C-alpha cells in the first residue's frame, strides 16, 4: 500500500508507528473505562460549558471509541496489510445499548484488542510493537491502585520494566527526538520511587515540574491516609499524560526545558569534553610531556641562559620537530571532539527532558485540597490525545 500523498515512505512509517502507539493507548483506556451498565441521562448544566474531564463515563467511552476509529484508520492505511481492519461495530453497539451485562463491554474491547494486535503485527512488526507499547504504557498509568500499594511494585517490576524499555529502544527512531529516551528515564525514576514511595513537598506552581534531579526533604507515603493516596494517584495520571504527549508528538520534549535546564545540560557537556580531553592527553602523554619540556627549555635558553646561537637553533629545531607531531595529535583531538560533541549534547538533552517529564508524587497544596470534585476531574483525568 502506497503512503498518502505528500508523505515519503520513511515519514509514513514513522507516522504509522506513532498512530499505532496512540491506538494501543486509547484501546487500553477504553478497556479500563468505568462504564455503567445502563445508559445514564443527566440534566445538562446551563451555567457553563463542560470540559472533557467532566463528561460522564459513558460519553467518555464513546469519545475514546471515536478516537480508536481515527487511529485505526490511519495506522491501517500506512501499514502493509491487505486485509480489512477489525470491526469496531460490536463495541459501538454496546456503548449505544440501553443495558449492558457486566463484563460484556470489556469482552468486546478485549476481542477488538486481540484482532488489532494480530493484524498490526502481521502488517508490520513495528506497528504491532508500537501498539503493544501504547497498551502497556497506558496500563502503567492506569492499573496501580493506591488502596493496594503492592500494585505499584508489580507494575514497575523489573521484568515488566525491561520489556517497556526494550520496546522504547527498538522504536526510538520512529518517535519524536528525545521522546523515547525521556520516557525510558522517567519509567526508571518511577521504578526507583516504587521501591521507596515518598511525597515531596508541595510547590507554589503545580504546573512547574522539577527541571532536573533535586533532593528536597521528602517523607514516606502514608498509604492509610486518603490525601496521600490521592496525591499518588493524581501524579501517576498526570505522568501518563506526559508520557503519551511526548511520544505522540503532541508536545515537544524540548518545550519542557527552561533556561536553567539548558545551562545544566551545557555544564554536563563541558564536563564530558573536559574528561575526553584529559583522556586524550594521557593517551599521548609522551608527546605532551615532550612539548612541555621543549617549551620550557626554549624559554630558559632565550630568557635566562642566553646561550649561543647554535644551542638556540638546536632547541628550536627540536621544538619544530615535536611541534609537527603535536600538531597532528591536536588535529586528531579536534576531530574527535567535533564528532563527539553532537551525540554528547543530544545525550544530555535526553537526560534533561527525562527529568523535566518526570512527575513524581508531591504533597497537595491547601488550595488543591479544597478543590471541588469537578475541578479535580478536569485537572487529572487523562485527556484524550
Amino acid at each position: 500500500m502506497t503512503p498518502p500523498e505528500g508523505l515519503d515512505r520513511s515519514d509514513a512509517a514513522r507516522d504509522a508507528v506513532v498512530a499505532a502507539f496512540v491506538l494501543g493507548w486509547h484501546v487500553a483506556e477504553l478497556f479500563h473505562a468505568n462504564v455503567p451498565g445502563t445508559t445514564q441521562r443527566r440534566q445538562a448544566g446551563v451555567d457553563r460549558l463542560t470540559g472533557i474531564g467532566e463528561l460522564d463515563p459513558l460519553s467518555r467511552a464513546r469519545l475514546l471509541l471515536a478516537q480508536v476509529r481515527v487511529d485505526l484508520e490511519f495506522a491501517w492505511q500506512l501499514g502493509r496489510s491487505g486485509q480489512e481492519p477489525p470491526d469496531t461495530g460490536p463495541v459501538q453497539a454496546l456503548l449505544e445499548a440501553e443495558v449492558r451485562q457486566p463484563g460484556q463491554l470489556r469482552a468486546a474491547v478485549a476481542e477488538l484488542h486481540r484482532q488489532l494486535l494480530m493484524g498490526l503485527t502481521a502488517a508490520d512488526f513495528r506497528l504491532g510493537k508500537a501498539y503493544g507499547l501504547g497498551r502497556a504504557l497506558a496500563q502503567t498509568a492506569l492499573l496501580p491502585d493506591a488502596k493496594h500499594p503492592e500494585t505499584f511494585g508489580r507494575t514497575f517490576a523489573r521484568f515488566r520494566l525491561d520489556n517497556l524499555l526494550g520496546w522504547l529502544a527498538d522504536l526510538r527512531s520512529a518517535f519524536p527526538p528525545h521522546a523515547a529516551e525521556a520516557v525510558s528515564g522517567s519509567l526508571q525514576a518511577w521504578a526507583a520511587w516504587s521501591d521507596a514511595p515518598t511525597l515531596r513537598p508541595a510547590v507554589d506552581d503545580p504546573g512547574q515540574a522539577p527541571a532536573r534531579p533535586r533532593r528536597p526533604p521528602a517523607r514516606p507515603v502514608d498509604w492509610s491516609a486518603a490525601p496521600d493516596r490521592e496525591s499518588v494517584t493524581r501524579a501517576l495520571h498526570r505522568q501518563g499524560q506526559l508520557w503519551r504527549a511526548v511520544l505522540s508528538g503532541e508536545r515537544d520534549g524540548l518545550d519542557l526545558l527552561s533556561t536553567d535546564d539548558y545551562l545544566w545540560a551545557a555544564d554536563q557537556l563541558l564536563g564530558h569534553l573536559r574528561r575526553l580531553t584529559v583522556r586524550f592527553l594521557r593517551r599521548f602523554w609522551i608527546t605532551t610531556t615532550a612539548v612541555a619540556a621543549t617549551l620550557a627549555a626554549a624559554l630558559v635558553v632565550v630568557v635566562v641562559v642566553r646561550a649561543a646561537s647554535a644551542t638556540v637553533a638546536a632547541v628550536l629545531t627540536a621544538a619544530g620537530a615535536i611541534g609537527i607531531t603535536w600538531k597532528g595529535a591536536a588535529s586528531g583531538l579536534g576531530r574527535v571532539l567535533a564528532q563527539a560533541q553532537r551525540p554528547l549534547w543530544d545525550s544530555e538533552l535526553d537526560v534533561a527532558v527525562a527529568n523535566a517529564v518526570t512527575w513524581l508524587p508531591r504533597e497537595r497544596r491547601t488550595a488543591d485540597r479544597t478543590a471541588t470534585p469537578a475541578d479535580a476531574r478536569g485537572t487529572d483525568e487523562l485527556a484524550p490525545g
Side-chain angles (χ1 to χ4, degrees), residues 206-293:
Q208 199 57 243
R212 51 188 176 275
R214 298 188 179 96
R215 297 186 180 276
R219 64 171 179 83
V221 175
D222 181 2
W223 295 109
S224 63
D228 282 17
R229 295 197 303 268
E230 186 178 358
S231 294
V232 172
T233 301
R234 288 165 64 100
L236 188 56
H237 285 184
R238 175 57 179 157
Q239 183 65 83
Q241 287 180 317
L242 292 172
W243 287 338
R244 188 195 62 209
V246 296
L247 286 172
S248 66
E250 175 187 343
R251 191 166 185 181
D252 190 332
L254 296 180
D255 290 343
L256 298 169
L257 302 183
S258 65
T259 302
D260 288 341
D261 295 322
Y262 280 104
L263 292 175
W264 177 81
D267 182 66
Q268 296 296 109
L269 173 63
L270 291 175
H272 284 302
L273 295 179
R274 183 168 56 250
R275 288 189 291 273
L276 184 61
T277 302
V278 170
R279 288 183 183 180
F280 185 91
L281 294 177
R282 287 176 179 174
R283 184 180 182 89
F284 294 93
W285 67 271
I286 296 178
T287 302
T288 304
T289 303
V291 169

Side-chain angles (χ1 to χ4, degrees), residues 30-31 33 35 61 90-91 94-95 100-110:
L30 183 58
F31 179 81
V35 179
V91 178
L94 287 171
L95 290 177
R100 287 166 294 277
Q101 298 300 320
Q104 195 175 15
L105 179 61
R106 278 198 169 189
V109 176

Side-chain angles (χ1 to χ4, degrees), residues 53 230 234 364 368 371-381:
E230 186 178 358
R234 288 165 64 100
R364 295 185 61 188
D368 292 335
T372 64
D375 292 335
R377 286 197 306 272
T379 301
D380 291 324
E381 288 284 352

Side-chain angles (χ1 to χ4, degrees), residues 294-309 311-313 315-316:
T294 302
L295 290 177
L299 183 64
V300 170
V301 168
V302 174
V303 177
V304 180
V305 179
R306 297 180 182 177
S309 59
T311 303
V312 175
V315 172
L316 293 179

